[in-house]
Amino acid sequence: MKSRLYPPIIAFLAVTVALSGCIAAIVVVTLDGIHDGSAVWTLVQKHDGSYSVLLKSGTWGVNSLGRLWFPVNIPLDDFESINFWYMIAPDAVETPSQDFITFRPDPLATKGYLSPYVVLEIIDTGGDGHWIISQQLALLAADKGTWKKFDSTATNLHHMDVANQPMRWHDEVAPLTWVFLSDLKTKYAGATIIKIKVAMGEWTATECQSAYVDDVTVPGFWVYYLEYPGIIFLNVPA
């Protein structure tokens, strides 16, 4: 699973406003759909507010993707975690792919659904760009249709055959090696996060995975409420 840059298809200019005594803004948000993957605003489901973004992975495996992203300016050294709310959509198709099996090492769970995942686009101290990519979560039929929290600090989920371990991440350097976020923060010490992305796709699964995404939070920095036509964020860390 590796994130790449594509031309944006939807973007909006930043406008600073005041909201309930807090600093708020509508900032640039881009929705990407690669091949039969897609990302669209929707009123069908929302965790908060009126809108969410519906992501679809498409069926081209590593060559299709649905993704939302927005610009940030956060020192990687200060980044500790990220979370968002998601709901597996009704049209998601169960997958028996290696992406599912890797993160659900349960002999009774032979297929299921994949959650969205996070990509941090960074610039290192030498000016070079890199991607730090989280694992996705492997979900079962009972998880479909309800809002669930993707939390990078959670330790009570299956992570690479080891229970009660932190979420795993990798960068774009081959061969892809799943490690802890702390390992990559050490590797790229002093880097700056310039974009945060939430995506589905560019994985081995060819069964279309789809999910609604809402309320992206970077604790200690911002809460991002996904509201068309942009992202409203408040300076109230959650």
Side-chain angles (χ1 to χ4, degrees), residues 29-73:
V29 56
T30 302
L31 306 183
D32 289 336
I34 310 304
H35 288 133
D36 62 342
S38 63
V40 296
W41 294 104
T42 180
L43 289 163
V44 173
Q45 292 288 350
K46 75 275 188 184
H47 183 261
D48 194 14
S50 299
Y51 286 85
S52 66
V53 173
L54 176 60
L55 300 179
K56 293 180 181 289
S57 68
T59 58
W60 290 44
V62 298
N63 295 311
S64 61
L65 170 125
R67 175 177 61 201
L68 69 89
W69 65 265
F70 47 90
V72 297
N73 183 14

Side-chain angles (χ1 to χ4, degrees), residues 17-20 26 28-30 48 53 57 69 71 77 89 98 103 107 143 150 168 176 178 183 189 194 196 221 224:
V17 298
L19 183 62
S20 301
I26 298 176
V28 176
V29 56
T30 302
D48 194 14
V53 173
S57 68
W69 65 265
D77 294 344
Q98 187 60 47
F103 292 103
D143 298 311
F150 180 105
R168 303 301 178 101
L176 302 182
W178 293 100
D183 298 318
I194 61 170
I196 290 177
F221 288 93
Y224 298 83

Side-chain angles (χ1 to χ4, degrees), residues 4-236:
R4 298 188 294 267
L5 295 177
Y6 295 94
I9 60 173
I10 301 177
F12 300 91
L13 296 177
V15 181
T16 301
V17 298
L19 183 62
S20 301
C22 297
I23 297 173
I26 298 176
V27 299
V28 176
V29 56
T30 302
L31 306 183
D32 289 336
I34 310 304
H35 288 133
D36 62 342
S38 63
V40 296
W41 294 104
T42 180
L43 289 163
V44 173
Q45 292 288 350
K46 75 275 188 184
H47 183 261
D48 194 14
S50 299
Y51 286 85
S52 66
V53 173
L54 176 60
L55 300 179
K56 293 180 181 289
S57 68
T59 58
W60 290 44
V62 298
N63 295 311
S64 61
L65 170 125
R67 175 177 61 201
L68 69 89
W69 65 265
F70 47 90
V72 297
N73 183 14
I74 298 176
L76 180 61
D77 294 344
D78 296 337
F79 179 88
E80 297 296 334
S81 66
I82 187 169
N83 64 74
F84 59 84
W85 289 90
Y86 70 95
M87 178 192 291
I88 300 300
D91 62 346
V93 180
E94 285 186 303
T95 176
S97 67
Q98 187 60 47
D99 290 285
F100 177 81
I101 298 300
T102 296
F103 292 103
R104 197 84 187 198
D106 179 348
L108 299 180
T110 58
K111 60 182 180 178
Y113 305 99
L114 299 174
S115 78
Y117 57 89
V118 175
V119 181
L120 307 177
E121 185 174 334
I122 66 171
I123 299 295
D124 67 20
T125 54
D128 295 323
H130 301 278
W131 297 269
I132 296 178
I133 305 166
S134 81
Q135 68 171 83
Q136 65 279 353
L137 303 180
L139 307 165
L140 302 179
D143 298 311
K144 194 175 185 179
T146 59
W147 284 102
K148 294 187 172 296
K149 190 175 185 179
F150 180 105
D151 187 346
S152 67
T153 65
T155 59
N156 60 341
L157 299 170
H158 293 286
H159 300 317
M160 304 294 288
D161 290 317
V162 182
N164 301 316
Q165 291 290 314
M167 182 167 285
R168 303 301 178 101
W169 301 69
H170 67 76
D171 59 13
E172 83 285 358
V173 179
L176 302 182
T177 303
W178 293 100
V179 296
F180 298 126
L181 178 61
S182 57
D183 298 318
L184 293 170
K185 289 178 65 174
T186 298
K187 180 177 180 178
Y188 296 110
T192 300
I193 305 171
I194 61 170
K195 293 179 183 177
I196 290 177
K197 309 173 186 181
V198 179
M200 298 189 79
E202 291 194 325
W203 46 33
T204 63
T206 54
E207 299 80 11
C208 188
Q209 305 297 295
S210 61
Y212 302 97
V213 175
D214 208 354
D215 299 350
V216 182
T217 301
V218 182
F221 288 93
W222 303 101
V223 181
Y224 298 83
Y225 298 102
L226 294 174
E227 292 295 321
Y228 180 85
I231 298 174
I232 297 177
F233 64 87
L234 305 179
N235 62 338
V236 182

